[in-house]
Amino acid sequence: MSASSAFNDEKGGSSSVGEPEYGHDPASGGIFSSDYKRHDDLKEMLDSNKDSLKLEAMKRIVAMIARGKNASDLFPAVVKNVACKNIEVKKLVYVYLVRYAEEQQDLALLSISTFQRGLKDPNQLIRASALRVLSSIRVTIIVPIMMLAIKEAASDMSPYVRKTAAHAIPKLYSLDPEQKDQLIEVIEKLLADKTTLVAGSVVMAFEEVCPERIDLIHKNYRKLCNLLIDVEEWGQVVIINMLTRYARTQFLNPNINGGGGEKTFYGSDEDEDEDEEEKEKKPYVMDPDHRLLLRNTKPLLQSRNAAVVMAVAQLYFHLAPKAEVALLILFEMISTLYTCGMFEPYLKSFYIRSTDPTQIKVLKLEVLTNLANETNISTILREFQTYIKSMDKDFVAATIQAIGRCATNIGEVRDTCLNGLVQLLSNRDELVVAESVVVIKKLLQMQPEKHSDIIKHMAKLTDNIQVPMARASILWLIGEYCEHVPKIAPDVLRKMAKSFTNEEDIVKLQIINLAAKLYLTNSKQTKLLTQYVLNLAKYDQNYDIRDRARFIRQLIVPTEKSGALSKYAKKLFLALKPAPVLESPFKDRDHFQLGSLSHLLNAKAGGYQELPDWPEAAPDPSVRNVEVKESVRAVGTVTYRDTGALWGPQKMEGSEESDSASGSESGSGSEESGSGSESEESEEGSESEEEEEEEEEKDKKKKKKELKKPVPETESLVTDLEGLSLSDSVLSPATIAPSSVLKNYELLHRITGEGLSVEYCFSRQPFSPDANMVAVQMQFTNSATSDTKNLHMEDVKLQSGMRVKEFPEIGEREPEDIQCTAMAVMGIDFCDSTQAANFQLCTHTRKFFVSIQPPVGELMRPIFLTENEFKKEQGQLMGMNEITEKLTLDAKCRNEHAIVQRVTTAANLSRVPCGSDKECRFAGRTVTSSSLVLVTVATKEEGAAQLTVNCEKMVIGTMLVKDILLALTQ
Amino acid sequence: MIHSLFLINHSGDIFLEKHWKSVISRSVCDYFFEVKEKAVDPENVPPVLQTPHHYLISIYRGKLFFLSVVQTEVPPLFVIEFLHRVADTFQDYFGECSEGVIKDNLVTVYELLEEMLDNGFPLATESNVLKEMIRPPNILRSVVNTLTGGSNVGDTLPTGQLSNVPWRRAGVKYTNNEAYFDVVEEIDAILDKSGTTVFAEIQGVVEACVRLTGMPDLTLSFMNPRLLDDMSFHPCVRFKRWESERVLSFIPPDGNFTLMTYHVSSQNLVAIPVYVKQNINFFETGSCGRLDITIGPKQNMGKTVEGLMVTIHMPKVVLSANLTATQGNYTYDLTTKVLVWDIGKLNPQKLPNLRGSLSMQAGAPKPEENPSLNIDLKIQQLAISGLKVSRLDMYGEKYKPFKGVKYLTKAGKFQVRT
C-alpha cells in the first residue's frame, strides 16, 4: 500500500518538475527525476519479501532504462534479486544487469555464480538465458568463465542452447579478440551441427569472427545448401551472403566462355535437354556444387522476407550465368522465350505516381532510363512528358537529365528528345528551362553541325531566360559554335555587352569567353565590341572577372609585348572539346556486393567483406565430398556399426582432407582424393562420418544426439514427403534419441508386397497429435515397374484400449524414380503392452495384412532426472517393483560407453548423470501410463555386473530386464 | 548487427531506447533529426544515413520512426525488414502500433525486444513463439495476475522454437475448428487523361485465420493458379508442392497470418472497375478554377462498388473549393490542400458528380500541372483477377473443420492523371 501511495506522490512531483506525463501504466509513470528519495523507495521494494513488490519495482526500473534515464545507483539492490524465483522478476533483473554491468564491474561479479548455476539447470530455457546474460555482461575478468560456458553449451543436447552458444561467440570475440583461436574451434564444431536452428546463428558467428577461414565451410557446404530452405529467414540471409563469397572462391566463372547470353537455365524442366546439349558443346561445365547452390536458393525468391529475396537476387547476380541473372534477378522465373528485352513487360511497374516519395521517384526514373532501348523509348518518353509537368521540381530536373541520357544512349531518338527539350525552353518555370538548356548544351556538343537552328532558337531565348546557369550555357554554346551561326553570334554579343553590368558572375565570364571566341573568328565585326566588353570587365567588382579580362586581353589582342602564347590563342579557345558523357549518378557501385550497406552508400562500411574475384582454375572440388553420404545415410537405414576397427583408415582420411584443403589454396587439386573412384570415395566418406560420430560421442558425456533430419537430394517427391512427416518430427529436448540406435523392422517384404516394401522403425520422437502414442516411422520403397497409388491403412484390428492414428494417404509413387522412397509416420497407443497392432496396408490395387509389434524398450520415452531425483524415485520403487539380475558383460561391452550404447539401443531411455563411474543410470516413463522406469547397471571387476530395474509396472519391468540382459551379454 | 534501437515520435522525442551491445548515446540521433528537419515529408527521410561512426537505418510506421543504429556492414534490407517485423509484432500484441500504446506497455515492449534480438542478431521473431514466452496483455489476465501473483512470462522454452514448424505451437485445442481465408486484391493503376490505362496490375494477398486443433496439414488449391505471378509465401508453405502441383500445402500457424502475396502482372488484362470523367481547369486570369468529376461503373462483374472515395492533392495556390456533390460529401483541408470526396456506394443509375469552382491565391501564376485523382474503392465478394479457391483439404487430423473463403477487391495505388 505504501508503495502505491508513494507512487502517486511521485507522479505529482514529477509533473511539477516539468517532466512530461507518460501514460498511466505504473511502469511508465513519471517517476524518474533523479531524486534519491524515490530510489530509496524502489530499493525498499526490492528488498521486500513479496515478489509482487519486487516485480513492480523492477518494472519501474526497466521503464527508466527504456526511456534512457540513469538507474545505475540501484545496482546493488537489483543484483541481489538475480536469484529470485519469480521468472519475470528474474528476466527483468537480467535486462538491468546487461545494461549496467559494464559500468559496475565489481558488483556484477556477484551475480556470476547464479548464472553458473543456471548453466546446469535441467530447463533448457534457463540454461540458454543464463548463457545469454553471462555472455552479454561485458566484463573482461569473466572471459575464461564465458569461454568455458560457451564450450560446454556448444555440446549441449538442446539445439536451442547450442544456438545461444553460437550467439555468444561474437560477444566474447568483441570483448576479447585474443580468444579467437579457441572460438574458431567452437565454430567449427557448431558448423557441423545438423539442426536448422543452429545453422543461421553459427554462420553469423563465423562471419563476425573468422570470415577468412573459408576452409571451415568445405565440409559443411552441401549440408548448408540443403538445410537452407528450412533455416529461419534471418539465418537464410546470412548464409546466402556467406555462400556467395564462398562460391566466388571455389567455382569457376560461368560467364567466362560461351558468351553467356544464350545459355538457358536449369531448373525449369523444358530446358533440361537443351542444357545437356549446351554442356557438350562448351568446355565449361558447372561444378555440381555450384549448381546445387543455385538450385536450392531459387525457391527462396518466393520468401515473404524482402531481405531473403534480395540476398538470393544478389547471389544470382554474382554467381549465375548471365542469362539466368537477367531473368531472375528482378523478376522471378519469366518464360525463357525472352532473351533480350526481357524487362519490357515489367517496364510499367516503374511508372511513377505523383504520391511516391522523391527518392523513390528518382530511383524509378533511374531504372526506366536504364531499361530504355530503341523499341520502348517512345513509350518511355511519353511517360517522361507527364513527369515534366510534376509539381516536384527536383523530380522534374531529374527527369530532364534522364531524357538527356536516353538521348545520348539511343541515337534514333536524339532529335526527338532535342525537340522535346527545346519545347521545354518555353516553359514558365525557370528551373525547368535552365535544366533543359544545360542538357541541350551537352547533347548539342555531340553533333553541333546539324542543329544550328536549335542554337539560333536558343540565342533568341537569351532575351527571356533569367536563370544565370542557363544564360551562361547558351552563351557558351554560341561561342563554341559561332561558325554555325555567323550572323547571330555578334548580335548576341552586342546585346550582352549592353546588359553586361547587370549580369551574374558566371554569365559575365561567359560573355568574355564569347567575346574572345568571336574576336578570334570574326574580328572584323566584333573587334570593338570585344574591347568594350573587356573594358567593362576590367573595372568589374569581382576579381575573377578582372583577372579573366586581363588574361584574355593579353592572349588575343596582338601587341608588341604579347608573348608566344597569343599565336596559339585560336588553338586554345577553339580546340575541339570532347562531348560530355551523361552518366547515371548510380554508376561506380559495381565493385560492392549487391544489396550490402556499402553498396547503398557507395562507401566501404566497417566489416565489409570484399567479394573475391573468380579463381583462374577451380580449386579442388573434392574438399566438399565429406557430405555426400550424409543425405544417403539420413534417409537410409541407420544402424550403429562398431567402428573400433576402422581407426587406421580414418586417420588417413583425416590427414588427406587437410591436405586437399591446403592444396585448394594453391589451386592444385590433391591427386589422392581426386583419383579415388566414386564408390571408394563414398566409402571413405561414410567411414569418416562414423569417425566423426565416434569422436562426438566421446566428447559428449551424455552421448545424446538429435535425430538427423533427412537431407534428401533434390528429388522433389522425397522432399514433399519429408514435408508430410514434418508435423511429427517436432523435436523436444528430453526425447532426443541417438540416431544410431534406431533399428529397422520389416513390415512388408518386397516379394510379398509385389515390389512395394515397407520398413518401419520407432523413431523415438514424441508423436505430436497424441502424446500417448508411440511414433512409428514407416518407409515405403517402390521397386515395382508400376505406380503405386493411394497408399493408406484400413481395417485396423487392435486389443482393447489400444488406439491408432493413421498416417495420411500417400499419393503417387512412380517407379522410375530411383530414390522413390516415402516416409510416413503413424502413431500407436500400445497401452503399455507388447501386443501387436494388426492392420491392412492398401494400395489402389492390393491389400496386405501387416502387424507391428513393439519391443518393450520402445514403449517408453526418456525423461531428464538429476542424480538426487533418481535416488529419491528409486527409493519409492522398492520391493515388488524392483528386479535385480546378475550378469557377465559381453567382452566387447565392458566400458561405460558401450554399456550406455547398448542399453539405449534396447530401450528408449535417457542417461542420468551419475557421480560414480561404476554405475550407469537411465530413466524413462512408459508412454501411455507415464509410470517411471529406472534402470541401473553397476559394473564390478572382470565384466561382472548387476542390473536393477525399478518399475511400477512389473510386467514391463520383467520384460525390460530380459531385453537389456540380452543386449549386454551378446 | 543491429546495435541499438530508438523509437522516435512525430515531434522528434526519443521515447524508448534499447541497446543490444554497449550503450550508444542518444545524441547519435541528432544526425537523423537534422535530416528530418530538411525533409518536408516524414516519408522523404532517406532510410539509410551515414554518420561518422555509425549508420542509421530507419523506417516510418504509424507516425513513429524506428531508428536502428548499425556499426558494421549488414544488408540494409535485413534491418529494414526486421524493424517492420518489430512493428508488426507490436501491432499483433497491442492491436495498434502507436506511441501511446507502446508507452503504456513499456515493460512488455522491452521484454519483447530483448527476446527478438540477441547481440543484434534476430533470435525469435515468430509471433507464436513470442506469445508463449511473453503473453500479450489482456485485462482478464492482468486481473488474475494481480490476485495470484502470476506472471506474463513463460518459464519453459516454447515448443515452436525447437520444432521444424516454429510457427505453430504444439497442443493447440479448439472446440470450434475453423479455417477462414480472405483473398484480398488491390488494383494498382495509372489512368491517363483520356481514361486509357497506362499501367495496371493487381497485388493480391491471401490472409488466413486458422483455428484448428492439433497439427493439421492443409492443402489449398485454386481453380486458376496460372494467373498468379511473383508469389511470396509464408515460410510454412512447401515450395516444391507449389512448383510441381500448383497447390499450397502447409501446416498453418495458429491464428491470423498472411499465407501468401502475389501479383497478377501487367501482361494480363486488368479489369478497371470504374471510369472517371474529369475536367479540372485553372484559368489564367481571375485566379479561379473549375472542377467537374463524374464517376461511373466500368468492369465490375455485376457487383456493387462500395466505399468510393476520391482524394486530390491540390496545388499550393488553391485557397478554397466551392463545390456541390450529387452524392456523398466533400471536405477540403486548407493546410494540407487535400480535397477528399467521400462518395460511398456507386449507384449505376445515378452517377455521382462533383462540380464547382476553386479559388486561388490572387496574383499567383496558374499551376502547371493538374492534380491527379487518387481513387479508393471496395468490391465485396469479388477477386478482380478472377482467382478462385477451388478447395481446401485437411490431412493429419480427423475432425471436420469449418471452412470459409471471402473475396475482396480494393483500390491500391489507383491514380487518374489529369
Side-chain angles (χ1 to χ4, degrees):
Chain A
M1 212 51 228
S2 71
S4 70
S5 67
F7 164 67
N8 285 335
D9 288 347
E10 283 148 19
K11 237 182 174 175
S14 69
S15 42
S16 66
V17 173
E19 279 273 332
E21 190 68 34
Y22 285 106
H24 299 290
D25 187 306
S28 59
I31 43 170
F32 308 115
S33 45
S34 57
D35 191 336
Y36 270 81
K37 259 188 195 164
R38 273 162 202 150
H39 285 182
D40 280 348
D41 167 61
L42 283 173
K43 276 179 198 159
E44 214 168 87
M45 289 167 79
L46 286 170
D47 289 343
S48 79
N49 296 327
K50 275 190 178 167
D51 277 355
S52 57
L53 278 181
K54 285 183 181 175
L55 184 62
E56 180 60 36
M58 278 320 294
K59 278 188 170 170
R60 280 158 63 178
I61 295 169
V62 167
M64 283 164 76
I65 297 175
R67 295 193 37 228
K69 299 279 184 255
N70 189 4
S72 57
D73 53 326
L74 286 162
F75 202 95
V78 174
V79 167
K80 263 185 273 176
N81 287 303
V82 73
C84 180
K85 285 275 181 303
N86 183 315
I87 191 120
E88 193 166 10
V89 173
K90 206 171 187 166
K91 270 201 165 172
L92 295 175
V93 172
Y94 286 0
V95 168
Y96 182 90
L97 256 178
V98 173
R99 171 68 179 73
Y100 285 113
E102 207 172 5
E103 294 170 23
Q104 314 230 357
Q105 307 217 343
D106 295 341
L107 283 171
L109 293 179
L110 295 176
S111 61
I112 301 299
S113 62
T114 318
F115 299 128
Q116 283 180 302
R117 227 175 303 133
L119 289 171
K120 303 253 169 355
D121 199 284
N123 183 339
Q124 51 180 338
L125 182 65
I126 298 195
R127 285 206 301 280
S129 59
L131 180 62
R132 260 182 83 186
V133 182
L134 184 67
S135 56
S136 300
I137 296 177
R138 286 166 294 272
V139 178
T140 3
I141 306 172
I142 62 161
V143 164
I145 299 177
M146 274 161 77
M147 193 67 228
L148 213 71
I150 291 176
K151 277 187 180 164
E152 213 156 272
S155 38
D156 197 285
M157 62 193 234
S158 154
Y160 183 69
V161 178
R162 293 203 297 274
K163 184 187 175 77
T164 322
H167 278 273
I169 292 170
K171 296 187 210 168
L172 180 54
Y173 179 65
S174 67
L175 190 64
D176 182 8
E178 282 177 16
Q179 303 292 322
K180 186 171 177 178
D181 291 340
Q182 288 196 57
L183 286 175
I184 290 178
E185 278 171 33
V186 182
I187 289 176
E188 192 171 6
K189 184 170 177 192
L190 285 172
L191 274 173
D193 205 297
K194 281 152 196 103
T195 47
T196 49
L197 197 60
V198 184
S201 304
V202 69
V203 171
M204 183 64 225
F206 170 83
E207 289 281 83
E208 280 197 22
V209 178
C210 53
E212 73 283 353
R213 289 290 304 274
I214 213 92
D215 56 297
L216 295 180
I217 303 299
H218 291 322
K219 286 193 212 166
N220 302 298
Y221 174 80
R222 286 175 202 164
K223 180 193 74 193
L224 283 175
C225 286
N226 286 324
L227 284 185
L228 196 57
I229 199 152
D230 289 326
V231 175
E232 33 91 42
E233 39 202 334
W234 313 108
Q236 283 172 348
V237 177
V238 179
I239 296 178
I240 293 172
N241 280 328
M242 187 275 291
L243 288 178
T244 309
R245 243 180 43 244
Y246 177 85
R248 269 297 187 101
T249 60
Q250 299 300 318
F251 306 126
L252 288 178
N253 187 350
N255 299 316
I256 221 152
N257 41 22
E262 294 306 310
K263 259 182 224 167
T264 51
F265 64 115
Y266 354 102
S268 57
D269 299 331
E270 69 264 32
D271 286 331
E272 215 70 71
D273 359 28
E274 281 178 55
D275 197 31
E276 297 297 319
E277 285 168 28
E278 209 98 62
K279 268 197 288 181
E280 280 164 17
K281 272 185 251 161
K282 282 172 188 154
Y284 169 75
V285 178
M286 186 181 265
D287 188 305
D289 287 328
H290 191 171
R291 178 169 308 193
L292 176 74
L293 177 61
L294 292 176
R295 245 187 218 189
N296 281 1
T297 48
K298 198 165 122 188
L300 293 178
L301 279 173
Q302 284 164 348
S303 167
R304 63 167 169 178
N305 189 322
V308 177
V309 178
M310 186 67 205
V312 178
Q314 68 83 20
L315 179 126
Y316 266 82
F317 179 78
H318 290 297
L319 297 181
K322 279 273 150 44
E324 275 174 72
V325 176
L327 283 162
L328 283 161
I329 186 159
L330 285 171
F331 317 101
E332 306 97 40
M333 287 166 275
I334 320 161
S335 89
T336 48
L337 293 172
Y338 298 88
T339 39
C340 64
M342 58 201 70
F343 293 117
E344 274 187 77
Y346 299 92
L347 191 67
K348 291 182 175 172
S349 303
F350 295 100
Y351 280 9
I352 294 159
R353 291 182 183 79
S354 60
T355 41
D356 288 335
T358 309
Q359 67 239 24
I360 302 282
K361 285 183 188 167
V362 172
L363 273 177
K364 279 187 175 177
L365 203 59
E366 176 65 23
V367 175
L368 283 177
T369 318
N370 284 339
L371 293 184
N373 61 20
E374 286 85 353
T375 42
N376 61 21
I377 185 71
S378 56
T379 7
I380 291 186
L381 282 180
R382 210 176 310 134
E383 192 58 26
F384 281 172
Q385 269 171 6
T386 333
Y387 303 159
I388 283 166
K389 292 189 204 136
S390 163
M391 283 180 268
D392 183 345
K393 291 305 164 205
D394 293 336
F395 172 54
V396 174
T399 309
I400 294 172
Q401 281 184 355
I403 295 178
R405 275 177 47 215
C406 286
T408 34
N409 297 340
I410 302 159
E412 284 86 350
V413 293
R414 198 166 292 155
D415 295 341
T416 337
C417 288
L418 259 180
N419 287 333
L421 289 171
V422 170
Q423 277 167 22
L424 281 180
L425 291 176
S426 50
N427 195 297
R428 270 189 306 134
D429 192 282
E430 290 209 336
L431 257 170
V432 175
V433 179
E435 197 68 44
S436 0
V437 169
V438 175
V439 173
I440 291 176
K441 184 197 101 182
K442 289 180 182 167
L443 282 182
L444 284 184
Q445 256 181 288
M446 289 179 203
Q447 25 179 209
E449 55 288 340
K450 282 201 213 156
H451 296 293
S452 49
D453 50 330
I454 293 178
I455 300 177
K456 275 178 206 156
H457 180 83
M458 289 177 73
K460 280 181 206 146
L461 280 173
T462 47
D463 296 339
N464 304 322
I465 296 182
Q466 293 306 323
V467 179
M469 189 61 206
R471 287 177 77 89
S473 293
I474 296 175
L475 291 177
W476 184 89
L477 258 182
I478 295 172
E480 192 64 29
Y481 305 113
C482 48
E483 292 125 54
H484 301 295
V485 284
K487 286 187 185 144
I488 294 175
D491 196 46
V492 171
L493 182 62
R494 182 184 59 80
K495 281 187 186 161
M496 286 296 133
K498 237 160 81 182
S499 62
F500 185 86
T501 45
N502 300 325
E503 297 291 350
E504 286 275 331
D505 290 348
I506 47 167
V507 185
K508 283 177 182 171
L509 286 175
Q510 285 308 325
I511 296 174
I512 300 172
N513 215 344
L514 173 67
K517 283 176 184 166
L518 283 176
Y519 183 86
L520 289 172
T521 49
N522 188 3
S523 61
K524 212 195 280 172
Q525 268 187 304
T526 56
K527 191 173 179 184
L528 287 172
L529 261 175
T530 309
Q531 290 205 333
Y532 174 67
V533 168
L534 287 175
N535 281 333
L536 279 175
K538 196 173 167 185
Y539 300 104
D540 199 89
Q541 280 181 323
N542 186 308
Y543 49 79
D544 270 349
I545 295 170
R546 295 199 300 272
D547 282 355
R548 178 72 62 92
R550 219 169 286 139
F551 158 71
I552 284 182
R553 190 192 293 272
Q554 288 301 316
L555 203 59
I556 58 171
V557 185
T559 56
E560 12 350 318
K561 274 189 286 173
S562 64
L565 268 179
S566 59
K567 273 187 260 170
Y568 302 106
K570 204 162 187 172
K571 272 192 184 159
L572 278 175
F573 279 101
L574 298 173
L576 211 62
K577 286 148 189 104
V581 185
L582 289 174
E583 54 191 26
S584 152
F586 296 95
K587 244 191 87 195
D588 294 334
R589 298 194 171 193
D590 330 344
H591 53 287
F592 289 115
Q593 189 168 358
L594 209 65
S596 66
L597 186 60
S598 309
H599 182 261
L600 184 80
L601 297 168
N602 202 15
K604 199 171 164 179
Y608 173 75
Q609 294 291 324
E610 289 285 348
L611 196 64
D613 265 337
W614 296 100
E616 289 287 307
D620 181 13
S622 61
V623 287
R624 288 179 294 275
N625 276 352
V626 200
E627 231 52 42
V628 180
K629 78 292 157 179
E630 187 76 13
S631 40
V632 180
R633 230 185 103 108
V635 182
T637 313
V638 191
T639 46
Y640 184 78
R641 268 189 258 151
D642 194 339
T643 53
L646 293 168
W647 273 108
Q650 281 154 20
K651 279 270 160 57
M652 265 173 60
E653 167 71 11
S655 59
E656 193 182 291
E657 255 162 39
S658 62
D659 268 352
S660 49
S662 61
S664 71
E665 277 156 43
S666 60
S668 66
S670 105
E671 275 185 28
E672 275 175 292
S673 52
S675 61
S677 77
E678 199 75 50
S679 62
E680 252 176 46
E681 223 155 57
S682 63
E683 182 75 22
E684 272 175 0
S686 62
E687 280 164 14
S688 81
E689 165 72 6
E690 224 78 275
E691 174 214 17
E692 251 174 47
E693 228 163 70
E694 175 86 27
E695 271 174 0
E696 262 173 64
E697 219 101 14
K698 286 202 162 179
D699 284 347
K700 291 186 202 169
K701 292 232 167 72
K702 289 180 181 155
K703 297 181 179 72
K704 291 273 161 195
K705 270 186 88 187
E706 73 286 345
L707 181 81
K708 271 192 221 93
K709 215 179 148 296
V711 191
E713 298 278 27
T714 42
E715 270 74 31
S716 64
L717 278 167
V718 179
T719 323
D720 288 347
L721 285 147
E722 179 200 337
L724 281 177
S725 63
L726 259 184
S727 59
D728 305 296
S729 43
V730 180
L731 291 173
S732 132
T735 46
I736 296 159
S739 59
S740 49
V741 299
L742 291 188
K743 207 167 149 190
N744 273 26
Y745 304 87
E746 189 167 73
L747 189 63
L748 186 63
H749 191 266
R750 186 162 52 87
I751 295 169
T752 22
E754 293 176 338
L756 178 74
S757 70
V758 184
E759 285 190 317
Y760 68 96
C761 66
F762 296 90
S763 64
R764 299 193 170 181
Q765 306 278 320
F767 189 67
S768 48
D770 189 333
N772 284 344
M773 290 190 177
V774 178
V776 182
Q777 184 172 323
M778 303 214 242
Q779 188 180 326
F780 303 90
T781 313
N782 186 10
S783 44
T785 44
S786 62
D787 293 5
T788 306
K789 287 180 195 156
N790 308 22
L791 216 50
H792 63 280
M793 289 168 60
E794 251 181 45
D795 199 11
V796 184
K797 289 202 185 79
L798 298 168
Q799 302 292 322
S800 68
M802 282 167 69
R803 292 172 303 136
V804 162
K805 172 92 191 155
E806 290 163 31
F807 59 86
E809 189 179 295
I810 295 177
E812 221 158 290
R813 315 267 70 231
E814 279 161 25
E816 60 263 31
D817 229 337
I818 306 153
Q819 281 282 331
C820 142
T821 57
M823 309 258 247
V825 177
M826 60 186 284
I828 306 177
D829 180 356
F830 287 105
C831 276
D832 291 349
S833 78
T834 49
Q835 301 280 4
N838 301 308
F839 58 92
Q840 284 184 355
L841 196 63
C842 308
T843 67
H844 63 302
T845 49
R846 289 270 331 241
K847 292 180 178 180
F848 308 102
F849 285 96
V850 290
S851 78
I852 294 179
Q853 185 170 30
V856 66
E858 301 296 343
L859 295 177
M860 42 201 73
R861 56 188 157 79
I863 55 163
F864 190 91
L865 288 184
T866 60
E867 192 171 0
N868 287 338
E869 284 169 321
F870 186 91
K871 282 186 176 152
K872 199 176 127 211
E873 296 289 353
Q874 199 176 24
Q876 287 170 359
L877 289 169
M878 303 300 270
M880 292 281 281
N881 292 327
E882 185 175 87
I883 304 160
T884 310
E885 200 75 36
K886 289 220 164 55
L887 68 148
T888 314
L889 291 171
D890 181 33
K892 280 186 214 148
C893 157
R894 297 219 167 141
N895 61 349
E896 195 196 8
H897 169 213
I899 294 174
V900 173
Q901 190 57 51
R902 292 200 181 187
V903 174
T904 47
T905 312
N908 189 12
L909 297 171
S910 82
R911 178 92 192 274
V912 175
C914 170
S916 108
D917 52 359
K918 293 274 181 223
E919 266 188 27
C920 299
R921 294 176 182 149
F922 307 87
R925 280 184 189 279
T926 58
V927 173
T928 310
S929 60
S930 279
S931 338
L932 214 53
V933 182
L934 306 173
V935 175
T936 316
V937 182
T939 50
K940 291 164 194 159
E941 276 83 29
E942 291 182 14
Q946 182 174 327
L947 170 71
T948 314
V949 173
N950 302 71
C951 180
E952 231 172 283
K953 300 221 161 188
M954 282 182 291
V955 187
I956 299 262
T958 330
M959 286 162 77
L960 191 62
V961 167
K962 270 187 207 155
D963 280 11
I964 296 179
L965 266 184
L966 206 65
L968 288 175
T969 48
Q970 279 188 351
Chain B
M1 290 193 124
I2 298 171
H3 214 293
S4 303
L5 174 73
F6 296 96
L7 296 191
I8 301 168
N9 67 13
H10 203 61
S11 51
D13 298 323
I14 303 169
F15 65 94
L16 184 137
E17 61 178 70
K18 167 88 185 123
H19 307 275
W20 284 277
K21 299 183 183 180
S22 39
V23 179
I24 292 177
S25 156
R26 54 166 68 187
S27 61
V28 75
C29 297
D30 294 347
Y31 294 101
F32 174 78
F33 293 134
E34 215 171 279
V35 178
K36 186 178 159 251
E37 281 303 302
K38 276 186 213 149
V40 195
D41 260 336
E43 276 98 359
N44 271 349
V45 179
V48 180
L49 294 173
Q50 195 174 8
T51 74
H53 300 289
H54 304 97
Y55 304 99
L56 307 178
I57 300 181
S58 60
I59 62 163
Y60 183 69
R61 276 276 295 260
K63 300 207 169 145
L64 298 178
F65 286 100
F66 289 68
L67 177 77
S68 63
V69 183
V70 173
Q71 263 186 322
T72 51
E73 168 66 47
V74 56
L77 259 181
F78 182 99
V79 181
I80 290 172
E81 187 76 19
F82 178 79
L83 293 177
H84 278 294
R85 198 61 63 82
V86 171
D88 290 342
T89 310
F90 291 166
Q91 182 109 35
D92 193 25
Y93 261 74
F94 314 122
E96 59 172 333
C97 175
S98 69
E99 189 185 354
V101 147
I102 292 176
K103 278 180 176 168
D104 287 348
N105 297 288
L106 206 57
V107 174
T108 313
V109 165
Y110 218 69
E111 285 171 336
L112 275 176
L113 290 176
E114 182 76 27
E115 283 307 329
M116 290 180 83
L117 278 184
D118 180 16
N119 195 35
F121 190 75
L123 185 65
T125 50
E126 277 301 335
S127 106
N128 258 299
V129 168
L130 284 171
K131 279 187 174 158
E132 266 182 83
M133 281 208 254
I134 299 153
R135 286 164 202 131
N138 70 42
I139 297 166
L140 183 70
R141 187 171 304 123
S142 59
V143 170
V144 170
N145 282 349
T146 36
L147 291 177
T148 62
S151 80
N152 276 333
V153 176
D155 56 355
T156 49
L157 188 70
T159 42
Q161 227 358 327
L162 291 174
S163 75
N164 283 332
V165 279
W167 52 85
R168 190 173 180 88
R169 59 197 170 92
V172 186
K173 278 216 170 73
Y174 288 105
T175 41
N176 293 328
N177 289 298
E178 43 196 22
Y180 299 110
F181 294 88
D182 288 1
V183 179
V184 181
E185 295 194 337
E186 294 194 349
I187 309 170
D188 285 355
I190 303 176
L191 305 186
D192 74 0
K193 217 175 215 160
S194 57
T196 45
T197 313
V198 178
F199 156 76
E201 70 174 2
I202 294 167
Q203 310 272 7
V205 55
V206 180
E207 299 278 1
C209 173
V210 178
R211 296 176 201 284
L212 296 175
T213 307
M215 273 286 169
D217 195 329
L218 302 182
T219 307
L220 185 73
S221 45
F222 296 101
M223 303 274 247
N224 34 15
R226 295 269 159 210
L227 269 178
L228 307 178
D229 208 19
D230 218 358
M231 292 79 45
S232 66
F233 299 124
H234 188 278
C236 68
V237 177
R238 299 182 181 111
F239 289 127
K240 295 274 180 186
R241 283 291 292 281
W242 172 259
E243 228 147 68
S244 53
E245 300 164 50
R246 298 265 144 185
V247 295
L248 296 177
S249 152
F250 57 97
I251 295 172
D254 186 36
N256 296 318
F257 65 102
T258 302
L259 181 61
M260 76 158 177
T261 57
Y262 59 89
H263 280 244
V264 175
S265 72
S266 39
Q267 279 154 313
N268 293 327
L269 219 56
V270 175
I272 305 288
V274 291
Y275 71 85
V276 179
K277 268 195 211 151
Q278 42 75 30
N279 187 13
I280 301 178
N281 273 323
F282 295 108
F283 303 119
E284 278 306 338
T285 52
S287 56
C288 67
R290 281 177 52 81
L291 179 142
D292 188 342
I293 303 171
T294 310
I295 299 187
K298 208 171 161 190
Q299 301 147 301
N300 51 10
M301 329 280 175
K303 309 267 186 199
T304 22
V305 178
E306 297 168 21
L308 200 55
M309 192 151 81
V310 180
T311 313
I312 309 172
H313 290 260
M314 287 292 180
K316 293 263 181 306
V317 291
V318 177
L319 286 181
S320 65
N322 183 15
L323 309 167
T324 42
T326 58
Q327 188 186 340
N329 40 22
Y330 79 96
T331 50
Y332 183 62
D333 188 326
L334 294 176
T335 46
T336 55
K337 309 280 180 199
V338 177
L339 177 75
V340 178
W341 177 27
D342 191 347
I343 302 168
K345 210 180 248 180
L346 180 67
N347 180 0
Q349 269 74 51
K350 190 165 161 287
L351 300 180
N353 171 272
L354 179 74
R355 77 170 84 195
S357 63
L358 305 166
S359 69
M360 295 190 296
Q361 216 169 335
K366 92 170 186 143
E368 247 160 75
E369 188 196 28
N370 284 338
S372 42
L373 319 179
N374 293 301
I375 294 181
D376 207 6
L377 56 84
K378 253 187 220 163
I379 305 173
Q380 302 280 2
Q381 291 311 321
L382 171 72
I384 196 90
S385 66
L387 186 75
K388 273 223 156 69
V389 173
S390 72
R391 56 183 296 158
L392 175 74
D393 300 305
M394 186 177 74
Y395 306 95
E397 296 289 340
K398 280 232 169 100
Y399 54 82
K400 273 238 172 326
F402 188 79
K403 304 177 266 192
V405 181
K406 220 164 74 181
Y407 300 92
L408 178 66
T409 297
K410 289 200 282 194
K413 297 172 194 149
F414 193 111
Q415 197 161 73
V416 182
R417 290 175 178 167
T418 56

